[in-house]
Amino acid sequence: MDNIEKVLGILKGQGLDGIYITKEANVKYISGYPDELAYVVICPQGNYLITDSRFTELAEQYCPGFEVVNWHNYDRSIPKALESICMKAGIKKLGFEECFTTYDKYVEIHRLLSACQIEMTGTRNIVEELRYAKSEEEVANTRIACEIADKALEELVPYIKPGVTERELCARLEFSMKMHGAQDIGFETILISGTKTSLLHGKPGDKKVEEGDFVLVDYGAKYNGYISDTTRTFVVGHASDKQKEIYGMVKQGQEIGLQNMGPGIHAAKPDEEIRKVISKYEEYYYSGIGHGVGLDLHEEPFLGNYGTKIMQPGCVITMEPGIYIPGWGGVRIEDTVLITENGAETLTHFPKDLMIL
């Protein structure tokens, strides 16, 4: 059963005649559309992709089985294009992604559809549930993204030395990923040094790397829409005893986390086991130790003491414990991991032993 048939089955079970999909990753997943600014309607009478004149040729090329609707032909109004589709397809009860529809757009659509006696019903996670376990093709794309990322970091390492700025290192890394075939960077690169490494999502700036600094690099490549996610932490020049201690603790914690990933394991289990290893610095430990990654950087399952899901074969999830001490620095080690029928396979392979550069 393909993804559209699965969606139609869910709609039938919820008493809906169709669904209006607006989240970019969900549009790509269900239609194959590779760009931005497109919306999809799925219903038993047919499949429709709404976009504008800039993208209609692209949509026709990438979305066989979809009727491409140019909203510029409807007074440049997406709601009017949607109204036309609903009338043509006989939709009387339309689902919409309530988490990804702005209030002003909802009001405009609701006004038009209600005048035609068409009811709108908010939905959640219909497509996301299908995206939870990745197909072989999705995993293949993720593998390539991970390979690209590994190569790029390997090329960056010789440039990590005193006097170079975080921003320069970031630019080299991102350039290298694209030169190795990345469609784009997977997300905004975190490349920070010194005491800034205690910032979980710190931004690279004009700070120069100094002797004795930690350098934390959290980055990813995007390939065919699928994202890798890796973090490595280095020390420049020489490492203090405390740096070695905390790095070793995080490395051991990550190993324990990886050992507690697999089919049928609850998303909270790795955190429970990692806490036993990092107990000395638990107050500086962040419990968000992993997340699903695919067309979105952050998707289910989320690993941590708040996790609610069960890992399944085909899930692609990060494992990224860290210790972050304000005013001193931090360490994070992260891999992208595939859940298999028998356990877990690490897809990112850059070495994890402490590297003193």
Side-chain angles (χ1 to χ4, degrees), residues 83 87 91-92 110-119:
E83 175 194 27
M87 296 298 290
I91 294 173
K92 292 298 182 183
H110 183 268
R111 177 179 58 81
L112 287 174
L113 297 190
S114 61
C116 303
Q117 286 75 53
I118 299 171
E119 181 182 348

Side-chain angles (χ1 to χ4, degrees), residues 76-94:
R76 300 182 67 86
S77 167
I78 294 171
K80 287 184 178 180
L82 179 59
E83 175 194 27
S84 175
I85 291 169
C86 290
M87 296 298 290
K88 177 180 179 180
I91 294 173
K92 292 298 182 183
K93 191 170 184 179
L94 179 69

Side-chain angles (χ1 to χ4, degrees), residues 1-11 21 26 28-32 42-44 46-47 63-66 126-127 129-131 133 135 137-138:
M1 181 184 296
D2 68 19
N3 293 323
I4 290 176
E5 289 176 335
K6 291 176 183 176
V7 169
L8 290 174
I10 295 169
L11 296 179
I21 298 171
N26 290 344
K28 176 176 174 57
Y29 182 82
I30 212 70
S31 70
I42 302 294
C43 63
N47 310 310
C63 307
F66 282 76
I126 288 180
V127 179
E129 288 295 328
L130 303 182
R131 292 169 49 200
S135 68
E137 180 181 359
E138 291 178 286

Side-chain angles (χ1 to χ4, degrees), residues 28 51 65 74 82 85 106 232 241 306 309 321 324 351 353:
K28 176 176 174 57
T51 188
Y74 295 85
L82 179 59
I85 291 169
Y106 167 80
R232 292 294 186 268
D241 289 342
Y306 49 79
K309 300 286 188 178
Y324 313 94
D353 289 336

Side-chain angles (χ1 to χ4, degrees), residues 72 85 222 232 255 262:
H72 283 182
I85 291 169
K222 180 183 288 187
R232 292 294 186 268
E255 290 168 354

Side-chain angles (χ1 to χ4, degrees), residues 47-60:
N47 310 310
Y48 302 86
L49 189 137
I50 305 169
T51 188
D52 64 57
S53 303
R54 296 169 295 173
F55 302 107
T56 51
E57 181 182 358
L58 182 72
E60 288 165 356

Side-chain angles (χ1 to χ4, degrees), residues 83-203:
E83 175 194 27
S84 175
I85 291 169
C86 290
M87 296 298 290
K88 177 180 179 180
I91 294 173
K92 292 298 182 183
K93 191 170 184 179
L94 179 69
F96 70 97
E97 296 182 309
E98 63 183 13
C99 294
F100 308 108
T101 303
T102 61
Y103 180 72
D104 65 326
K105 193 63 65 178
Y106 167 80
V107 168
E108 188 178 356
I109 294 171
H110 183 268
R111 177 179 58 81
L112 287 174
L113 297 190
S114 61
C116 303
Q117 286 75 53
I118 299 171
E119 181 182 348
M120 294 180 68
T121 300
T123 67
R124 292 189 179 211
N125 298 324
I126 288 180
V127 179
E128 285 86 346
E129 288 295 328
L130 303 182
R131 292 169 49 200
Y132 187 71
K134 274 56 178 176
S135 68
E136 290 184 5
E137 180 181 359
E138 291 178 286
V139 171
N141 285 325
T142 304
R143 285 186 188 278
I144 294 172
C146 291
E147 290 169 3
I148 290 169
D150 283 344
K151 290 175 184 175
L153 187 56
E154 183 179 349
E155 291 182 352
L156 180 70
V157 165
Y159 294 95
I160 302 176
K161 54 190 176 182
V164 67
T165 67
E166 297 167 346
R167 207 185 305 277
E168 179 183 344
L169 290 172
C170 181
R172 287 187 180 276
L173 180 64
E174 294 180 355
F175 174 78
S176 185
M177 284 191 283
K178 291 185 178 182
M179 289 300 291
H180 282 294
Q183 166 193 350
D184 201 349
I185 60 172
F187 50 91
E188 187 175 1
T189 301
I190 299 168
L191 198 157
I192 48 182
S193 61
T195 59
K196 285 177 64 177
T197 53
S198 67
L199 303 173
L200 277 75
H201 275 202
K203 298 183 184 301

